[in-house]
Amino acid sequence: MAKRPTITFAKPATPKKGTVVVLMPQDGALSPDAAACDPDGVLSRASKTAGFSGKPGKSVEVLAPGGSALDRLVAVGVGKPAEITEDTWLKAGGAAAAAAGKATEIAIIAQVADAEVSAEAAAALGLGVLLRSYAFDKYKTRKDEDNGKADRGKAARVTVHCADPAAAKKAFARLEAIGDGVMTARDLVNEPANVLGPQEFADRARELRSLGVEVEILTEKELGKLGMRALLAVGQGSARPPRVAVMRWNGGKARQKPVAFIGKGVVFDTGGISIKPAGGMEDMKGDMAGAATVVGLMQALAGRSAKVNAVGIIGLVENMPDGLAQRPGDIVTSMSGQTIEVINTDAEGRLVLADLLWYCNDRFAPQFMVNLATLTGAILVALGNAHAGLFSNDDELAERLTAAGRATAEKVWRMPLGSEYDKLIDSKFADMKNVGGRHAGAITAAQFLQRFVKDTPWAHLDVAGTAMASPSSEVNRSWGSGYGVRLLDRLVADHYEG
Ligand code: BES
Ligand code: MN
Ligand code: ZN
């Protein structure tokens, strides 16, 4: 891992050494403290030369600025003041971390024009720095410039200068817990499948015990007793047996029904006997991203002592072709009692989730269930990388998720469900088949899941386009993005706490 920066908050000041980052409103002026760091006005000359006008996401930097003893002076654009949102601060923090590069002493002047930013905004700048600084470089053994290994001798120390440092510190403690959850999810997604099999993944989930999360690990034998034959069928071609981890955070009132999050954790998806083509198959180490997000989310909720009862359930299996693997045409009986004809062994995620959704509903009677899964290539065709596909049987839950998506910039886009699609997965030989033909692939996958949720409010997030291999952003340079941790933390915080 790249060395994690330490982030502290301090009173407004005009630092005389190290790297200083100031915020620039679009077509606006520097704040008084920012201007005091630039007595010779080199920043405004550099801005003119570079054509920098303070647009969000843009920045300009001056090395060894004349008139001061600073190493570098950076201006980060925050756009038009009236249009600034929480996401602006996150992205500005990310841009600040990027522009500061390998500097180890970094000060951020948290003022825009003549106004101090709020404590929440200062904290969000800090989270942006943290998220942007993440790098998965544990397998890089050489620290030369070109191989992507962060070669900082020391971790950076970032000081955010703001009006109310005590309040910012408090706000940041909460955001840092969320950031830690995001980074756990990224770590899990980036880790290769030889290192992270079902058991190793379960061990990582078990580590949440140190935060007060109850963690149970169900073995293959126990899953058999429960009747999870659909989930087990997916893993039967792998030498590494399946596990299910059940995580419980009890931060709410004793009798409050839990909220539930369920994740697809296919540690590697070869497709099984319906094997995938070789090109790009390495990406299927990320087919456990839904489960990774659930672990990261549980960590975030526990880390910030959320006042909610939450359950996280993840199904950890490996989909391999083998003499024992399931075949196309096999019929399995799911925990619900419903039978499934397995037409394509590469449509395995839904088999895993079918049993987990049923089990979750049965055991916990939750207020709602949200599942996350890198479920279909078809959702990438429909939505690309910019939105996760949202499918839901409940308008209120769908609207709340959509709002949380806007607030966190982890966006979702609602897709339809309906009986016309549902009938596409009726089977000649069993209650249903696991694929629905060439068209509407993301929707028929969701219809399949819906057959296992009864009337409980439920939402399915197809994160195949957003959780891995999505384009890098101001707050993420990692292949595994950690998508969904901030989204679902926000859903809980806005509607289900207290
Ligand atoms: N894990 C894949 C979906 C996927 C594709 C995730 C690309 C991330 C990136 C899933 O198990 C799968 O193979 N789905 C098939 C379903 C098909 C056989 C009906 C697909 O999308 O092709
Ligand atoms: Mn598959
Ligand atoms: Zn898969």
Side-chain angles (χ1 to χ4, degrees):
M1 240 78 341
K3 290 218 174 72
R4 177 193 175 116
T6 55
I7 293 161
T8 54
F9 298 86
K11 285 264 173 232
T14 57
K16 299 286 183 283
K17 61 184 177 58
T19 289
V20 170
V21 180
V22 303
L23 305 176
M24 177 75 104
Q26 196 163 332
D27 303 318
L30 290 178
S31 74
D33 283 355
C37 294
D38 182 25
D40 284 7
V42 293
L43 206 47
S44 35
R45 283 178 55 206
S47 298
K48 269 202 203 90
T49 309
F52 169 75
S53 63
K55 287 209 176 102
K58 304 271 183 239
S59 65
V60 68
E61 71 174 319
V62 183
L63 297 176
S68 92
L70 295 176
D71 296 332
R72 79 174 91 190
L73 186 54
V74 180
V76 167
V78 293
K80 303 199 177 90
E83 291 169 13
I84 291 177
T85 63
E86 192 182 311
D87 188 50
T88 312
W89 302 121
L90 273 186
K91 292 202 168 114
K102 289 174 189 152
T104 52
E105 282 282 333
I106 301 158
I108 301 178
I109 311 293
Q111 298 172 335
V112 172
D114 51 4
E116 301 280 350
V117 312
S118 68
E120 285 69 32
L125 283 166
L127 178 60
V129 169
L130 204 58
L131 291 176
R132 176 61 177 259
S133 305
Y134 172 91
F136 185 79
D137 57 10
K138 68 193 269 201
Y139 297 109
K140 301 270 192 187
T141 65
R142 285 177 290 112
K143 301 194 184 189
D144 43 285
E145 287 282 314
D146 304 327
N147 85 341
K149 169 116 187 158
D151 62 353
R152 289 192 190 118
K154 290 189 284 180
R157 296 191 337 187
V158 180
T159 308
V160 182
H161 293 280
C162 56
D164 188 347
K169 186 179 171 198
K170 198 165 162 233
F172 182 68
R174 174 188 166 91
L175 294 189
E176 192 173 22
I178 300 166
D180 283 336
V182 174
M183 291 189 283
T184 292
R186 289 178 183 174
D187 276 346
L188 290 167
V189 175
N190 288 326
E191 199 68 72
N194 60 325
V195 174
L196 202 70
Q199 180 61 54
E200 294 80 9
F201 198 130
D203 290 342
R204 301 271 189 112
R206 197 188 271 118
E207 287 173 19
L208 295 186
R209 283 180 182 164
S210 66
L211 293 172
V213 178
E214 290 172 19
V215 184
E216 278 167 68
I217 310 294
L218 305 177
T219 62
E220 193 174 22
K221 205 169 142 202
E222 291 164 316
L223 299 173
K225 275 200 198 126
L226 286 165
M228 292 203 194
R229 306 220 184 276
L231 181 150
L232 287 170
V234 175
Q236 74 190 33
S238 171
R240 302 189 288 181
R243 294 285 182 271
V244 166
V246 180
M247 296 159 275
R248 304 181 71 180
W249 167 250
N250 301 314
K253 298 200 182 80
R255 288 217 308 282
Q256 181 198 59
K257 286 210 278 176
V259 295
F261 302 95
I262 294 121
K264 169 181 175 183
V266 174
V267 297
F268 196 81
D269 180 14
T270 64
I273 296 299
S274 315
I275 197 163
K276 289 181 181 294
M281 204 205 273
E282 67 279 8
D283 281 0
M284 287 302 114
K285 73 172 184 176
D287 208 20
M288 27 54 70
T293 295
V294 171
V295 174
L297 173 67
M298 295 303 288
Q299 179 178 350
L301 294 175
R304 66 174 184 77
S305 300
K307 291 189 180 56
V308 70
N309 297 330
V311 178
I313 303 181
I314 56 178
L316 306 167
V317 299
E318 181 171 47
N319 188 21
M320 294 290 262
D322 177 81
L324 294 173
Q326 66 174 337
R327 293 147 290 257
D330 282 5
I331 296 176
V332 296
T333 302
S334 65
M335 186 182 175
S336 72
Q338 300 176 92
T339 56
I340 303 161
E341 184 188 9
V342 179
I343 299 292
N344 187 321
T345 65
D346 197 13
E348 83 298 341
R350 64 199 74 180
L351 300 175
V352 173
L353 291 170
D355 279 342
L356 296 183
L357 287 164
W358 188 268
Y359 173 71
C360 179
N361 217 357
D362 208 39
R363 175 167 172 197
F364 296 107
Q367 294 184 60
F368 68 71
M369 301 193 284
V370 173
N371 75 256
L372 298 108
T374 47
L375 203 63
T376 67
I379 201 66
L380 270 149
V381 176
L383 299 176
N385 306 110
H387 294 83
L390 161 65
F391 300 83
S392 183
N393 63 359
D394 188 273
D395 290 343
E396 183 181 64
L397 180 58
E399 275 152 29
R400 288 174 172 183
L401 278 162
T402 303
R406 281 208 203 91
T408 56
E410 292 193 330
K411 291 181 289 186
V412 301
W413 194 263
R414 192 167 183 188
M415 302 280 289
L417 290 165
S419 55
E420 310 91 316
Y421 299 109
D422 186 69
K423 69 172 193 258
L424 298 176
I425 56 170
D426 285 340
S427 155
K428 220 182 313 174
F429 296 105
D431 296 333
M432 68 195 88
K433 54 186 178 183
N434 75 333
V435 294
R438 246 166 60 76
H439 295 152
I443 306 174
T444 50
Q447 293 295 159
F448 185 95
L449 300 182
Q450 194 179 8
R451 292 190 180 204
F452 298 87
V453 301
K454 299 198 227 174
D455 293 331
T456 303
W458 156 78
H460 154 51
L461 297 174
D462 193 336
V463 296
T466 50
M468 60 189 210
S470 36
S472 51
S473 74
E474 285 308 345
V475 292
N476 182 45
R477 298 280 131 164
S478 158
W479 184 79
S481 64
Y483 173 93
V485 174
R486 292 191 299 110
L487 169 75
L488 296 175
D489 176 81
R490 179 62 57 96
L491 174 76
V492 170
D494 283 353
H495 301 287
Y496 300 95
E497 284 192 60

